Amino acid sequence: MPKPFAAPFPLSRPRRLRRTPALRAMTRETAMTPDNLIWPIFLQGGRDEQSAIVSMPGVSRLTVDRAVTAAREARSLGIPAMCLFPYTGPESRTEDCAEAWSDDNLTNTAIRAIKDAVPEMALMTDIALDPYNINGHDGYVVDGEIVNDPTVEALVKMALAQARAGADILGPSDMMDGRIGAIRAALESEGHGHVAILSYAAKFASAFYGPFRDAVGASGALKGDKKTYQIDPANAEEALRMVGRDLAEGADMVMVKPGMSYLDICHRVKDAFEVPTFAYQVSGEYAMIEGAARNGWLDGDRVMMESLMAFRRAGCDGVLTYFAPRAARIMAG
Ligand code: PBG
């Protein structure tokens, strides 16, 4: 690559190209449309109800019928995909996590209902045992250790149930070793070869997930932390290795999570692998922006749009963000 050229003043006056909206539009390097958004939503049981999530002001858990309405709205705003997360009470949490692969659990019920009403909406799921685990972990715990291979077997069952329900994209977020290969092989052999995997490949052991754990009912349940399976926030090379591994095992797309504090990882992943790359602007990132905006400390809409553009500039094809409908409305003008 040639060195960037910048003629000295007064030959060069870079402000010329910043002078008017038209000139700025002509020379803008990065574009963003609703196609770049994936909207994560939280589900709860019951009918025609919703409940606010205190640590995520403006976000509510929705019953399935309201999730269908939300999907219609999202579609009309041009959002191509939604990601579903179930709120689970203590009654859904067991030692064997069997609710995770029930065809009639909240996620699978919602997939069928939304697909029925809004078939063109792509639906993504989360694969991890934490909503169904008595101890809030993404994997089985035996004698205080997260056990890898039995967990992978359970994740495969969970993946197959989601594929049967009609999910378009599976999102393994558990960080167990070997899960992508196992899920891909099972999908192929059970006739779900068309189902895509968006692997949470570069998922860090982050404190930014705090509000999410409130949203899905995991805060009280989680014993200890997730550092034996999620990546240390100090590690970039390890994140790249995990992306390479998940792609080799059959992932179609990869995710970096959290987002805003990990833009270097987004950029390096896109650069090194040239595959569809997504970032998750997680619950804590949402809470920071929205909390400050509601206090009048930040211009919420502008900060939101700037943060989303930063993901695009860093090389992400799209962003999972709780702001998706709001951002899409602003993009529509
Ligand atoms: C669980 C999962 C988490 C998130 C998505 N899937 C939490 C965790 O790993 O503890 C976090 C999303 C967010 O914070 O918005 N496997």
Side-chain angles (χ1 to χ4, degrees):
M1 268 239 297
K3 274 239 159 63
F5 169 77
F9 181 82
L11 259 187
S12 155
R13 289 181 180 272
R15 289 186 53 205
R16 273 181 213 128
L17 301 186
R18 301 181 198 132
R19 192 171 55 87
T20 70
L23 289 164
R24 290 195 294 272
M26 283 173 66
T27 55
R28 187 163 296 129
E29 298 174 33
T30 309
M32 186 164 62
T33 78
D35 285 338
N36 306 126
L37 302 171
I38 299 177
W39 185 23
I41 64 162
F42 298 106
L43 302 165
Q44 67 178 30
R47 251 200 78 72
D48 202 18
E49 276 180 70
Q50 63 190 63
S51 46
I53 300 157
V54 176
S55 51
M56 298 180 73
V59 176
S60 294
R61 307 179 192 101
L62 307 176
T63 52
V64 169
D65 51 322
R66 291 206 180 185
V68 169
T69 307
R72 282 206 187 89
E73 272 169 39
R75 196 50 226 151
S76 72
L77 289 165
I79 295 170
M82 291 167 74
C83 182
L84 308 178
F85 291 97
Y87 170 87
T88 46
E91 70 290 348
S92 312
R93 297 173 176 273
T94 56
E95 200 99 30
D96 67 357
C97 308
E99 182 70 5
W101 52 89
S102 155
D103 285 322
D104 300 316
N105 70 19
L106 199 45
T107 299
N108 294 334
T109 304
I111 292 172
R112 285 191 299 270
I114 296 172
K115 275 288 163 187
D116 207 37
V118 198
E120 56 296 358
M121 175 62 72
L123 291 184
M124 175 176 168
T125 57
D126 193 75
I127 300 181
L129 299 181
D130 55 326
Y132 309 104
N133 209 343
I134 210 153
N135 49 51
H137 276 289
D138 293 10
Y140 288 131
V141 183
V142 176
D143 296 333
E145 304 272 340
I146 312 292
V147 291
N148 196 87
D149 300 10
T151 298
V152 170
E153 275 178 45
L155 298 171
V156 166
K157 289 191 266 185
M158 188 175 183
L160 287 173
Q162 293 171 349
R164 280 196 299 276
D168 300 283
I169 305 166
L170 307 184
S173 74
D174 54 282
M175 292 299 283
M176 294 300 118
D177 292 330
R179 88 272 204 225
I180 302 298
I183 291 169
R184 174 53 75 210
L187 290 172
E188 287 295 332
S189 70
E190 301 285 322
H192 304 294
H194 60 283
V195 174
I197 297 178
L198 201 182
S199 158
Y200 288 74
K203 178 167 177 177
F204 290 87
S206 173
F208 284 104
Y209 308 146
F212 174 94
R213 293 179 189 165
D214 292 342
V216 298
S219 306
L222 183 63
K223 306 266 182 300
D225 58 47
K226 300 192 174 185
K227 291 180 185 171
T228 70
Y229 44 107
Q230 300 178 345
I231 303 173
D232 186 325
N235 295 357
E237 288 178 353
E238 185 185 358
L240 292 181
R241 282 201 300 278
M242 294 304 96
V243 169
R245 175 192 73 171
D246 284 4
L247 291 169
E249 289 185 19
D252 303 285
M253 309 179 261
V254 294
M255 178 105 75
V256 175
K257 178 183 173 187
M260 284 153 62
S261 304
Y262 296 82
L263 290 177
D264 57 325
I265 310 290
C266 297
H267 189 256
R268 289 178 69 174
V269 166
K270 189 63 175 178
D271 235 33
F273 296 98
E274 301 178 323
V275 296
T277 302
F278 294 80
Y280 199 146
Q281 184 177 51
V282 299
S283 56
E285 303 177 58
Y286 174 89
M288 287 195 305
I289 294 175
E290 195 54 21
R294 286 185 185 224
N295 272 296
W297 298 335
L298 283 178
D299 179 334
D301 281 353
R302 286 189 56 201
V303 170
M304 163 182 81
M305 296 308 277
E306 184 176 331
S307 70
L308 295 175
M309 184 60 87
F311 290 113
R312 294 283 294 146
R313 194 191 61 236
C316 291
D317 295 278
V319 190
L320 276 90
T321 175
Y322 302 100
F323 288 122
R326 245 161 78 190
R329 252 178 232 114
I330 290 177
M331 289 177 203

